[in-house]
Amino acid sequence: MFTGISRRFFLAGLGSLVSGAASAAGMGVSLRPQLRPDGIVGGAPVSAEALVSQALPDGTVSYTVADAATGEVLENRLAGVGLPPASVTKTITALYALDNLGAGYRFATRLIAEGTLRDGVLDGDLVLAGGGDPTLDTKALAELASALKAAGLREVRGRFLVWAGALPYRRQIDSAQPAHVGYNPAVCGLALNFNRVHFEWKRADGKYGVSMDARAGQYRPEVQVAQMAVVDRGTPVYTYSDKGGVDHWTVARGALGNGGARWLPVRRPDLYAADVFRTLARSHGIELPREELAERAPQGSELARHHSDTLQSILRGMLKYSNNLVAEMVGMIASRKRTGQPVGMRASAGVMSRWAEVELGMEDVVLVDHSGLGDASRLRAGDMVRALVESRAKKALHPLLKTIPMRAANDGNSNDITVRAKTGTLNFVSGLAGYIEGKGQRELAFAVFSADMSRRAEIPRAQRERPRGARPWNRRARRLQRKLIERWDRLYLA
């Protein structure tokens, strides 16, 4: 539970959002409150409306900045307008997971014997059972294979089963993304290497050698569940098809050059993990049958178990690297704990949205996932700041958020401030939300959301990885965020 200032006090600070938003859009008048003379250092700063019009005349910009301790709203623009939060969503997911699972929660991946183990022979089935660990990697599977040998198992006379039913299966996080982007893999209760396979190629004597492996650390086992063919064509660069549970990829020869590598998404993470585990078990002299899917949760004797790091550590990495799969899996596991049953991604995001309204005092939350990859989600800057103010008392986010570097201001004054925040980026969508600490005791909570949904809607699916015009637009959005932070520093922290 997150407690803090009253909702009435915070909303009173926002004022009349509907009429204020209309005034800003129609008249271009800054919504900032009357400033005290001693609140200006080195001359009056450029108005917020001027900064917005200079940076992003072709988009919608919404922001709110407030005193992080009291919730007093210091400045806002279209604070009641919902925009896609992109990966800023992950801050809500982090708070949701902490509240429902606890900072010390650890995920478990288990090997279970359904049958009798005698003299090294299992007369029954061996089950690789996922527990929703989003950080499981090949090294962890290698440790499980070693533990299996240490448990005395030499032979399995039944089946080798894989169970991933801790979470409902989803083929990809966002169906609007290109098929080949590694940040949009499948989701289920068993993950490996963030559900990505490593594709590497090298040209020799005019021919390409390719490999598909599950590398992690010193381990590089080749896989059977993902295959690649080099073909003669111009575009598209990649094609994908599912053939009997095997990911079949093709890549255009002309796009490869002399060599290189990239991570591709995996569409059947359960089969991927089982494929890799069979290889690792074989290295210990344990020959397992071809994997099959378990139809129910396993019941039997536990032979080995791998524990993840703590949830707090996992969330810190999730926010630092903005990992989509981690966000989806921890969010869905939190919903499973909250509801008592496995919940699909979209439904789980709805459960999290309702939790945010009750526990964080947010007014109008519409989230379609836990990572922010889907652009149908909507958050309001005022709501996001409300959540930051509400969670500040427990310092839940402070140890998780990364520090955003601030360059010296254009007037030569150094930025003697610390910004801890979460960025969010989609094509023609940009967000930043977090805390600003100055030289004194005061701390600000802020959120800035920007979007040009008309231009985003025009992007063909095949071009969504790098559409024309998106990078310059997003650079201007980030520049605006920095300018606004500089402004707030001079006005409210100096």
Side-chain angles (χ1 to χ4, degrees):
M1 300 287 288
F2 294 90
T3 59
I5 63 170
S6 71
R7 177 183 296 187
R8 178 176 298 176
F9 179 81
F10 181 84
L11 293 179
L14 284 177
S16 301
L17 290 179
V18 176
S19 60
S23 297
M27 300 175 61
V29 177
S30 172
L31 295 180
R32 65 182 176 86
Q34 184 71 31
L35 299 173
R36 296 185 299 273
D38 61 355
I40 302 176
V41 178
V46 178
S47 74
E49 287 301 320
L51 293 176
V52 171
S53 62
Q54 290 168 9
L56 289 178
D58 50 348
T60 302
V61 177
S62 168
Y63 62 76
T64 295
V65 61
D67 186 296
T70 67
E72 177 191 0
V73 175
L74 304 172
E75 192 169 300
N76 61 65
R77 181 182 195 274
L78 303 182
V81 174
L83 292 173
S87 285
V88 175
T89 303
K90 295 183 177 74
T91 59
I92 305 298
T93 301
L95 293 171
Y96 179 61
L98 287 171
D99 194 42
N100 287 279
L101 299 174
Y105 184 86
R106 294 175 186 268
F107 299 90
T109 305
R110 302 174 297 156
L111 288 169
I112 297 174
E114 293 189 325
T116 303
L117 177 61
R118 183 180 296 111
D119 298 327
V121 178
L122 174 59
D123 188 12
D125 300 333
L126 178 69
V127 187
L128 173 62
D133 182 0
T135 61
L136 188 76
D137 62 8
T138 299
K139 180 176 180 294
L141 281 187
E143 293 170 355
L144 275 173
S146 178
L148 189 63
K149 180 181 180 180
L153 188 140
R154 294 182 291 103
E155 180 184 352
V156 175
R157 290 184 175 171
R159 299 169 297 173
F160 173 44
L161 302 176
V162 56
W163 184 75
L167 294 177
Y169 171 76
R170 185 178 176 93
R171 189 170 185 77
Q172 52 192 326
I173 297 172
D174 180 25
S175 60
Q177 300 293 328
H180 64 276
V181 292
Y183 55 76
N184 187 37
V187 182
C188 65
L190 180 60
L192 181 66
N193 301 332
F194 304 116
N195 293 348
R196 301 176 305 172
V197 63
H198 190 263
F199 164 46
E200 187 170 7
W201 66 93
K202 183 177 293 185
R203 183 166 63 182
D205 299 325
K207 297 181 179 179
Y208 282 101
V210 300
S211 64
M212 303 284 274
D213 64 60
R215 63 181 58 192
Q218 73 270 33
Y219 300 97
R220 298 189 176 185
E222 293 190 359
V223 300
Q224 302 298 317
V225 297
Q227 300 178 9
M228 177 65 73
V230 180
V231 298
D232 291 315
R233 68 164 182 266
T235 56
V237 175
Y238 291 95
T239 67
Y240 168 81
S241 61
D242 181 344
K243 297 182 180 179
V246 176
D247 292 338
H248 281 260
W249 295 93
T250 71
V251 61
R253 184 183 303 273
L256 294 181
N258 290 324
R262 74 170 292 163
W263 292 93
L264 293 171
V266 169
R267 299 298 175 215
R268 287 308 306 257
D270 44 3
L271 298 179
Y272 175 48
D275 180 12
V276 172
F277 184 77
R278 277 198 304 115
T279 299
L280 296 169
R282 191 181 307 120
S283 70
H284 289 285
I286 305 172
E287 196 71 35
L288 297 177
R290 184 82 178 185
E291 61 270 3
E292 300 178 39
L293 298 178
E295 297 179 354
R296 54 169 176 79
Q299 299 176 351
S301 302
E302 183 177 298
L303 300 179
R305 171 186 292 243
H306 170 78
H307 274 123
S308 73
D309 207 341
T310 64
L311 178 64
Q312 180 162 351
S313 178
I314 290 172
L315 294 176
R316 185 181 297 112
M318 176 193 78
L319 293 176
K320 180 178 180 179
Y321 299 107
S322 205
N323 190 290
N324 294 327
L325 179 70
V326 175
E328 299 304 339
M329 292 185 69
V330 298
M332 292 168 70
I333 287 290
S335 290
R336 175 180 173 135
K337 177 69 177 296
R338 189 171 183 83
T339 64
Q341 60 185 354
V343 183
M345 189 188 81
R346 188 95 182 218
S348 175
V351 174
M352 184 171 78
S353 298
R354 292 187 290 276
W355 169 88
E357 292 177 350
V358 173
E359 301 297 339
L360 300 180
M362 303 176 83
E363 288 278 297
D364 188 14
V365 185
V366 180
L367 299 175
V368 299
D369 56 33
H370 310 84
S371 62
L373 189 57
D375 65 6
S377 290
R378 293 292 182 271
L379 277 186
R380 307 189 307 188
D383 271 347
M384 188 66 231
V385 168
R386 170 64 181 175
L388 293 169
V389 172
E390 283 289 316
S391 62
R392 179 181 181 270
K394 288 192 174 183
K395 294 286 185 180
L397 279 176
H398 281 69
L400 303 180
L401 292 171
K402 66 180 180 181
T403 300
I404 306 295
M406 289 292 294
R407 297 178 296 176
N410 291 337
D411 59 9
N413 295 325
S414 62
N415 284 307
D416 194 10
I417 58 175
T418 300
V419 179
R420 292 186 176 89
K422 180 68 189 80
T423 59
T425 304
L426 298 171
N427 295 317
F428 299 107
V429 173
S430 183
L432 184 68
Y435 304 97
I436 309 171
E437 300 173 11
K439 292 179 290 186
Q441 296 298 313
R442 194 178 203 186
E443 183 179 26
L444 305 179
F446 75 97
V448 184
F449 295 138
S450 306
D452 188 338
M453 298 307 292
S454 296
R455 293 185 69 180
R456 179 170 173 80
E458 295 172 354
I459 307 171
R461 181 172 183 265
Q463 299 177 16
R464 287 210 161 191
E465 187 174 18
R466 295 178 182 175
R468 180 177 300 178
R471 287 188 175 183
W473 190 96
N474 285 91
R475 281 196 297 268
R476 288 187 281 122
R478 290 191 295 270
R479 190 178 304 121
L480 172 62
Q481 293 161 4
R482 179 174 62 82
K483 293 288 187 182
L484 287 171
I485 290 173
E486 289 174 358
R487 169 186 169 80
W488 299 330
D489 173 30
R490 295 181 64 187
L491 289 175
Y492 310 118
L493 295 176

